[in-house]
Amino acid sequence: MDNVSNTISSGFNSFVDFLPTLLGAIALVLVAWVLAVLIRRGVKQGLKMAGFNRHLVKWGVAQNEEQANTTVESIGNVLYYLVWLLFLPAILGMLGLTAVAQPISNMFDTALSFIPTLIGAIFILVIGYFVAKFAKNLVYNLALSLNLDKWMSKLSGSSDTPDATPTASQKNTLAKVLANLVFVVILIPIATAALDVLGIESISRPVIGVLNSILAAIPNILVAVILLGIGIFLAKFIGQLLADLLRGTGMNSLTKYLNTNGKMNLDLAKLTGQVVSVVIGIFFLVEALNVLNLEVLNTIGGAIIAYLPLVISALVILGLGIIGGTLLGNFISTSTKSEFFGEAVKYILIIFSIFMALDQLQFATNIVNTAFMFIMGGIAVAFAIAFGIGGRDVAKRTLEKAGNKVEKESNKTSDSSNDFTPPTM
């Protein structure tokens, strides 16, 4: 009996000794619960009174006000459980559960020590965002005041001339493009500085490497854009100047010989100017690609420059074939009073020029040569069959007319020689 009573007495004494600790833990739980409820309710009411839900809809975070209210409720609940987590290590420590409370306490210590760094990074991002936003608005308004969109429209030859103040529906104006470019250029180094402040090397190091590569490429990109803009301006100016000069020399008068049937409306001066503009533009485009120092683009640019002489010579051959064939066909049609022979000669010369241009372009040379041989052989065989079988009588009459004409010419020559009287001395 003494042992039983001693055990009960010892347990009761232990309970009495532990009772203050238990009451303290219960009181701490009540304090945590009251504080968590008050914070949750206060945050919800405060955010709703401040109109935070309407701002969420305005910022595009929530689609409607109901969803915004749900977001506010979620923020309050997050803070509610965060208060419980803050009190949990103390409650567990008071109950003697240090093995469970220690990891939670260490987690909060790490998080609390990281908060100043996080706040510093957020502060840098916020300040940088406002600076970039200010620079963006400044560049946009400056571009509008200089009316860059109108000048760019004139430079590019567009028929649509934008107003000095574009509407909100004009999303791709030059002013907005420049403003957004300035915004991004300013925000990139600010984001790099914020990542450096956070000190998360596993994330910041590759991101900073990418950002540094972008920053290093921005000057080359700007130079390439400026070079391309100058090239477009020069190409358009020189092409227009050349077209006006050729038009002044009467080059377009050749079109009246090419347009005897009213089937062709060709401005040779304008076409020549446009070809020259394209060639100059291609040269500046290739140089702009070389400025970017990208191996793939450099290879493409070199291939374009190497192939350009072949394209120019092919265009010259094709143009001479079309113009020469048209002129010769019109001359034959006028001389022989036969439109068929004139059209046949014209299209034969055009076919010749097309195959010569394809051969100059080195476009499937074997196939082109074989096709040309088959086409010309077919045309020759068709003419031979038509002239030898179906046109035997026509050929006979044609040869007789030619023979009679030659005989008449020879008789006229002999008569004129017989009538000649030498001068008397």
Side-chain angles (χ1 to χ4, degrees):
M1 290 295 292
D2 292 336
N3 292 332
V4 174
S5 63
N6 290 333
T7 302
I8 295 174
S9 177
S10 176
F12 180 75
N13 291 332
S14 299
F15 176 74
V16 171
D17 293 335
F18 182 72
L19 187 58
T21 304
L22 180 61
L23 292 176
I26 293 173
L28 200 57
V29 169
L30 291 175
V31 171
W33 176 74
V34 171
L35 188 60
V37 170
L38 291 176
I39 290 177
R40 179 174 62 180
R41 185 173 300 175
V43 168
K44 289 180 181 179
Q45 296 298 327
L47 292 177
K48 289 181 179 179
M49 290 177 62
F52 185 71
N53 49 358
R54 292 190 298 271
H55 287 292
L56 289 177
V57 177
K58 183 179 179 180
W59 295 336
V61 178
Q63 297 180 355
N64 48 46
E65 192 169 350
E66 182 180 356
Q67 189 176 3
N69 292 329
T70 304
T71 303
V72 172
E73 295 282 341
S74 300
I75 293 174
N77 292 330
V78 168
L79 294 176
Y80 173 83
Y81 291 110
L82 185 60
V83 171
W84 275 107
L85 286 175
L86 289 174
F87 277 89
L88 188 59
I91 295 171
L92 294 175
M94 188 172 290
L95 294 174
L97 301 175
T98 55
V100 180
Q102 190 63 40
I104 300 176
S105 179
N106 293 335
M107 180 186 68
F108 274 103
D109 291 339
T110 304
L112 290 175
S113 64
F114 185 71
I115 286 177
T117 305
L118 182 62
I119 293 175
I122 294 174
F123 180 77
I124 292 174
L125 285 176
V126 171
I127 296 298
Y129 173 80
F130 283 108
V131 172
K133 191 75 173 178
F134 174 79
K136 175 183 176 182
N137 293 331
L138 178 63
V139 172
Y140 179 71
N141 291 307
L142 182 62
L144 287 183
S145 63
L146 295 176
N147 208 356
L148 290 181
D149 294 305
K150 183 177 180 180
W151 289 107
M152 191 64 187
S153 178
K154 289 183 179 180
L155 178 63
S156 60
S158 176
S159 58
D160 299 329
T161 302
D163 299 331
T165 56
T167 61
S169 60
Q170 294 174 316
K171 299 296 185 182
N172 297 321
T173 60
L174 181 61
K176 286 195 173 184
V177 171
L178 290 177
N180 291 327
L181 181 61
V182 170
F183 179 80
V184 172
V185 168
I186 295 176
L187 203 59
I188 285 175
I190 292 172
T192 305
L195 289 174
D196 282 334
V197 170
L198 290 176
I200 309 176
E201 294 185 357
S202 60
I203 299 176
S204 62
R205 186 173 296 174
V207 174
I208 290 173
V210 173
L211 294 178
N212 290 333
S213 300
I214 295 174
L215 286 175
I218 285 177
N220 294 334
I221 294 174
L222 292 177
V223 172
V225 171
I226 293 172
L227 190 63
L228 190 59
I230 295 174
I232 293 173
F233 173 77
L234 290 178
K236 182 176 176 58
F237 176 76
I238 294 174
Q240 187 64 40
L241 180 62
L242 181 62
D244 293 338
L245 290 175
L246 293 177
R247 198 175 287 115
T249 59
M251 183 177 183
N252 285 338
S253 61
L254 294 174
T255 56
K256 66 181 182 179
Y257 300 105
L258 302 176
N259 199 26
T260 55
N261 297 327
K263 298 179 181 179
M264 186 181 299
N265 186 14
L266 184 63
D267 190 345
L268 292 178
K270 182 178 180 181
L271 181 61
T272 305
Q274 289 178 346
V275 171
V276 172
S277 296
V278 171
V279 172
I280 295 174
I282 289 175
F283 275 110
F284 275 93
L285 175 62
V286 172
E287 188 62 29
L289 293 178
N290 291 332
V291 170
L292 296 177
N293 292 325
L294 297 177
E295 185 177 355
V296 176
L297 295 180
N298 292 341
T299 304
I300 294 174
I304 292 174
I305 292 297
Y307 196 67
L308 191 59
L310 300 179
V311 176
I312 295 174
S313 59
L315 290 176
V316 171
I317 292 171
L318 187 61
L320 292 176
I322 294 174
I323 295 173
T326 304
L327 292 174
L328 185 59
N330 293 337
F331 175 76
I332 292 176
S333 298
T334 304
S335 301
T336 61
K337 306 298 181 182
S338 175
E339 186 177 353
F340 171 76
F341 285 109
E343 292 293 320
V345 171
K346 181 179 77 172
Y347 286 111
I348 287 174
L349 290 178
I350 291 176
I351 291 173
F352 264 107
S353 65
I354 291 174
F355 278 98
M356 290 175 66
L358 291 175
D359 184 69
Q360 185 69 21
L361 292 173
Q362 300 177 0
F363 182 78
T365 306
N366 294 330
I367 298 176
V368 170
N369 292 335
T370 305
F372 176 74
M373 293 174 60
F374 275 114
I375 291 174
M376 299 310 299
I379 292 174
V381 172
F383 269 103
I385 294 174
F387 194 74
I389 298 176
R392 186 175 300 173
D393 296 333
V394 177
K396 181 179 180 181
R397 289 195 298 270
T398 303
L399 292 176
E400 288 177 354
K401 288 180 180 180
N404 294 332
K405 187 174 182 179
V406 171
E407 186 176 355
K408 288 180 181 180
E409 293 293 333
S410 60
N411 291 333
K412 288 182 180 179
T413 304
S414 60
D415 291 340
S416 61
S417 62
N418 292 331
D419 294 339
F420 175 73
T421 304
T424 57
M425 298 299 293

